[in-house]
Amino acid sequence: MSEPSPSPAPGRGRRWARAAGRWAFGLLVTVGGALVGILLLGRVEAPIGPFDASLAFTPTGGGATVEVPPLGSLAVDAYDGPLGLDVQLRRVDEARIQALVADPVRLDGLVDRVSDDLRDGVVRLAWRTAAAGVGGAVLTSLLVFRRRREPLVAAGASVLLLAGTAGLGAATWRPEALSQPTYTGLLVNATSLIGSAEDIVARFSAYRASLEDLVTNVGTLYSTLSALPAPGGPTDTVALLHVSDIHLNPAGFDLVRQVADQFRVDAVLDTGDITDWGSEPENQLISSIGQFGVPYVYVRGNHDSAITAALVAAQPNATVLDDSATTVAGLTVVGARDPRFTPDQDATGDTESLEQTGEDLAELAEEQPEPPAIALVHDPKQAPPLDGVVPLVLAGHTHDREVETLDGGTLLMVQGSTGGAGLRALQGEYPEPLTCTVLYLDSDDGALVAYDDITLGGLGETEATIVRTVVPEEAATDGSTDGSTDEGTDEGTDEGTEDGGTGGTDAPASPTG
C-alpha cells in the first residue's frame, strides 16, 4: 500500500494569492495614477487654421470628437482604444480671419494649413499625454507605497500600457470614417447646408481663379457702360446698389466693394443672408461692411442670426431694419426681417408667418410722414401685402433674379445671389452666378427710372455682363414695366429681353486675366 503524497504547504497558496493581490493593486494604482495625470495635464492649446483650439485625450473609448460651440459637435469613429481625441474650437483669431478675407488667395492653402496644424497639435498632445501618464503613475505609486521599487515598476507598466494603447489605435485606424462623421446640435444640418467638403475643396481652385478675374473686370464693364446716356436723362437720380444672399463668399464682398466704388452709389441695400449659419466665427467677415464708405442698409435673412444683425448694426455706416424705417439719400426706406432662422429648426416653430411680417411692414409704411420709395424684405412671399403701398419692393432668398409687377402696380425685384450661393455652389453641376443690381431712382419722388443688372459667371464660366433697363416714364408713374425703351451702346452690344419682360441693353465684357 503506497503512502499518500504530501499536500502543498498551506502557506504557499496564500503567499501566491497575496502576491497576485499586490500586483493587481499595483496595476490598479498605476492605471489610476496614469489616468489622473492624463486628465489633469494631457491637454494642449494649438492654432488650427483661423481657430484657437484645445486638444485633449480623454477616457471615452476611442474615436475623435470636434466641438464647435455653439453649433454642436461632430464625432468620428476613426480608431479603437481607451482614449478618445477631443478637439474644441474655442475662438477665431481675428488677425488670421481678416488676412483670409483681405486675400482670398490664402483660402487655396487653408485645407493644407488646417491639416498641418492639426497633425502638429496631435503630436504635441501625444508626447504631453505620455509624460503626464507616466508621471501620474509614478507619483501616485510613490504616494501609496512609499517605496522605491513600486514607482519604478509603475513607470515601466505605464509605458507598456500607453504603448499598447497607441498600438491598438494604429492597428484599428479607419481613415474612411473621416468622411462619415456623426453630427449633433445645429451641425446636424451641415450636410444639407454645406454639402460635401471634398467637392468644395476639389473645385475651389478653379472657382477662385475665375472669380478673381471677373471681379477685377467690373471696372472694364463700367467703362463700357459709361458710354451710355445718363440713366435718368435730365432728371437727377439716386444710385442704390441692391445685393442679397452673399452667404459668406469673400468674392461677394469684393464685388460689392468694387461696384459701390465704380458706380459711385449713394448706398447699399442688402436683403439678407450674409452668412450660412449666423454663427460667431462667420461674423468676423462682416466687419468689412464698415470699409465700404457708403451707407449700408440691411434686413436679416433666414440664415442670419440676431448676433449677425447686431454686428452689422455695430458697423459705423450700417442700419439694420426690423419693422423700421430709415432715410437714404433723401428717400424713405422701410424693411422687415425674415422671421425664420433656418440653422436652428427648433427656433422656427412659434415665429410669425412671412405674410404677417409683410402686413406689419405695410402698416408701418402707411404711417410714415413721407411715403416710402422702397421696402426691403428677404423672402418674396413677404411682398404681396406691400402691393399698392410701396412702389418698389426688393427681396432675395430664391437665388434667382426676377422682376415682376404685382397686381396693385408695385414692382417686385428679386435679386439672385451676390455671393453665388456661397461655397455650397461649388457642388452643383450648374454653379450660381454672382449678381447685383444698381438702381437709379428719381431724387424728387423716388420713382425707379432705370437699373443695371450685373452678372458674373460662376465656376467654369468666363462671362461678365451688365444689362441696363430704362423704365419708361409712364411705367414709373403707373407701376407697369411693359413697353420700356432700350438705349444702345456702340456696335458690339446685344439687345434683348432680361428678367420679367423688361427691355435692356447688354454691355458684355470678357475677363482679361
Side-chain angles (χ1 to χ4, degrees):
M1 187 173 178
S2 60
E3 296 181 359
S5 58
S7 59
R12 183 179 301 176
R14 288 194 294 270
R15 286 198 298 272
W16 287 349
R18 285 196 298 269
R22 285 197 301 271
W23 279 102
F25 181 66
L27 182 60
L28 182 63
V29 170
T30 298
V31 173
L35 285 176
V36 171
I38 291 172
L39 291 174
L40 292 178
L41 301 174
R43 181 179 298 273
V44 298
E45 304 292 330
I48 298 181
F51 296 95
D52 288 333
S54 173
L55 291 80
F57 282 119
T58 57
T60 53
T65 301
V66 180
E67 299 179 27
V68 191
L71 299 180
S73 65
L74 59 92
V76 181
D77 187 20
Y79 64 90
D80 297 328
L83 297 180
L85 175 63
D86 180 61
V87 180
Q88 186 174 71
L89 304 182
R90 295 190 176 278
R91 59 179 293 272
V92 173
D93 184 273
E94 186 172 352
R96 276 176 267 160
I97 200 68
Q98 285 182 348
L100 288 175
V101 175
D103 184 8
V105 176
R106 292 173 179 253
L107 287 172
D108 188 31
L110 181 60
V111 174
D112 292 336
R113 172 69 182 275
V114 169
S115 299
D116 292 342
D117 290 345
L118 182 59
R119 181 174 57 251
D120 293 343
V122 171
V123 169
R124 284 176 50 208
L125 176 63
W127 283 111
R128 186 179 181 90
T129 299
V134 173
V138 170
L139 183 59
T140 303
S141 180
L142 182 62
L143 292 174
V144 172
F145 297 107
R146 300 184 183 277
R147 293 194 298 266
R148 293 183 178 180
R149 179 187 174 192
E150 278 74 7
L152 294 177
V153 173
S158 61
V159 169
L160 291 176
L161 287 172
L162 291 170
T165 298
L168 178 60
T172 58
W173 172 246
R174 294 180 290 274
E176 67 278 3
L178 298 176
S179 62
Q180 300 174 338
T182 300
Y183 298 94
T184 60
L186 296 182
L187 290 180
V188 169
N189 300 315
T191 52
S192 61
L193 292 179
I194 296 179
S196 171
E198 293 180 356
D199 291 342
I200 291 175
V201 171
R203 307 182 74 186
F204 182 76
S205 295
Y207 178 74
R208 183 210 66 199
S210 63
L211 284 187
E212 281 180 347
D213 289 337
L214 289 172
V215 171
T216 302
N217 222 37
V218 170
T220 304
L221 290 171
Y222 179 71
S223 298
T224 303
L225 193 67
S226 297
L228 291 174
T235 305
D236 290 335
T237 59
V238 172
L240 304 176
L241 174 60
H242 178 206
V243 303
S244 189
D245 297 83
I246 296 176
H247 283 294
L248 213 67
N249 189 343
F253 284 96
D254 290 342
L255 176 61
V256 175
R257 183 183 298 106
Q258 183 82 286
V259 173
D261 290 343
Q262 292 286 348
F263 285 71
R264 297 185 178 90
V265 301
D266 296 289
V268 177
L269 307 180
D270 186 342
T271 48
D273 276 2
I274 289 183
T275 63
D276 262 335
W277 297 87
S279 64
E280 187 173 352
E282 294 176 291
N283 290 336
Q284 300 295 330
L285 289 173
I286 296 175
S287 59
S288 61
I289 289 175
Q291 303 169 11
F292 288 161
V294 295
Y296 195 98
V297 183
Y298 157 88
V299 294
R300 280 173 58 186
N302 60 296
H303 283 266
D304 299 328
S305 67
I307 297 175
T308 300
L311 187 58
V312 173
Q315 304 306 308
N317 59 330
T319 300
V320 175
L321 296 182
D322 189 354
D323 288 329
S324 55
T326 189
T327 301
V328 177
L331 303 179
T332 300
V333 179
V334 297
R337 63 180 176 86
D338 191 309
R340 304 162 298 178
F341 182 47
T342 300
D344 187 358
Q345 297 297 330
D346 293 336
T348 62
D350 297 327
T351 56
E352 55 188 326
S353 68
L354 293 170
E355 184 177 359
Q356 181 62 50
T357 61
E359 293 174 357
D360 293 342
L361 187 60
E363 293 180 4
L364 175 73
E366 293 175 333
E367 296 170 356
Q368 298 305 306
E370 294 291 334
I374 301 174
L376 303 183
V377 295
H378 178 64
D379 194 309
K381 294 179 181 178
Q382 298 171 275
L386 295 159
D387 187 16
V389 179
V390 179
L392 177 61
V393 177
L394 304 182
H397 184 66
T398 64
H399 299 181
D400 186 14
R401 178 188 276 153
E402 183 179 3
V403 178
E404 175 187 2
T405 302
L406 303 180
D407 294 338
T410 291
L411 188 65
L412 171 61
M413 302 185 72
V414 181
Q415 189 57 264
S417 174
T418 308
L423 295 182
R424 288 175 291 143
L426 300 183
Q427 292 181 280
E429 183 178 357
Y430 303 103
E432 296 279 351
L434 278 69
T435 68
C436 59
T437 301
V438 180
L439 308 168
Y440 303 96
L441 294 90
D442 189 303
S443 59
D444 293 328
D445 59 12
L448 181 67
V449 297
Y451 55 92
D452 295 332
D453 282 329
I454 301 173
T455 305
L456 275 64
L459 176 63
E461 299 182 3
T462 59
E463 185 179 25
T465 62
I466 297 179
V467 175
R468 169 164 293 179
T469 300
V470 177
V471 180
E473 184 176 353
E474 61 271 18
T477 57
D478 65 15
S480 172
T481 58
D482 295 333
S484 58
T485 60
D486 299 337
E487 293 193 13
T489 61
D490 294 334
E491 183 179 358
T493 62
D494 300 325
E495 293 188 359
T497 301
E498 177 80 1
D499 294 336
T502 60
T505 331
D506 201 1
S510 299
T512 57

